[in-house]
Amino acid sequence: TGDGVLRSLRELLDVLATRRQPLCCVVRPHPRTTAPIKERLSQACRDRGPRVVWDWPNAVDNLSLLAASPVSLSMTSTTSAESIALGCPSAFWQVGFDYHLLDVAFGTVKVPRLRSAADGQAFFDLHLGGGGSGGASPERTPGVVEMCD
């Protein structure tokens, strides 16, 4: 539901806000997200300031953005498979909504499931250490650096 997705996004942004070194978070809705829910998600991003970027329509193609990212999260999407194939660690962010049916559908997919703020912190600590940029090279990907400046 829209409320579940909004709740999930807010929880993720709360986790990111506690990071010692701030990260830029690019938020993209699923293409089938309805206009009213997109507006609510967009407002939630604007409320968090310039380090949270609402990117609809996509200013940079998915593969370029993932290649420039130190980590990615999806809400049980094939975006995670693309990310992992590019060498960018990814996880399913499953906080704030009922993910049980998705677990059945994606039961054989070996992507970490993050189901709490603590899970999110552990994932970021593992892949970003003290808050660095991981192996990402946004400066080599046109358009990505400008998104978070």
Side-chain angles (χ1 to χ4, degrees):
T1 68
D3 289 335
V5 171
L6 187 61
R7 192 170 40 252
S8 185
L9 174 62
R10 286 182 176 143
E11 289 208 36
L12 172 61
L13 296 177
D14 288 346
V15 169
L16 293 175
T18 66
R19 300 293 302 165
R20 221 179 30 225
Q21 184 171 347
L23 294 171
C24 175
C25 178
V26 177
V27 178
R28 290 185 168 171
H30 190 278
R32 290 190 306 263
T33 303
T34 65
I37 293 172
K38 283 181 189 169
E39 180 52 39
R40 291 174 67 199
L41 294 170
S42 173
Q43 184 60 53
C45 292
R46 287 191 304 270
D47 290 347
R48 296 299 179 119
R51 302 293 295 174
V52 179
V53 178
W54 173 253
D55 186 31
W56 183 261
N58 302 352
V60 176
D61 67 275
N62 273 356
L63 295 180
S64 295
L65 182 60
L66 291 170
S69 299
V71 296
S72 76
L73 299 176
S74 75
M75 294 178 80
T76 318
S77 166
T78 56
T79 299
S80 287
E82 294 170 342
S83 181
I84 292 167
L86 290 169
C88 175
S90 189
F92 292 156
W93 179 256
Q94 297 180 320
V95 175
F97 69 98
D98 184 4
Y99 52 79
H100 294 85
L101 289 177
L102 293 169
D103 268 359
V104 172
F106 290 89
T108 61
V109 177
K110 302 297 180 205
V111 175
R113 274 99 165 133
L114 310 179
R115 297 187 171 148
S116 68
D119 289 350
Q121 287 291 9
F123 178 81
F124 291 128
D125 288 346
L126 175 66
H127 295 290
L128 301 176
S133 63
S137 299
E139 65 280 355
R140 293 192 314 230
T141 308
V144 174
V145 171
E146 293 80 6
M147 292 179 85
C148 293
D149 281 343

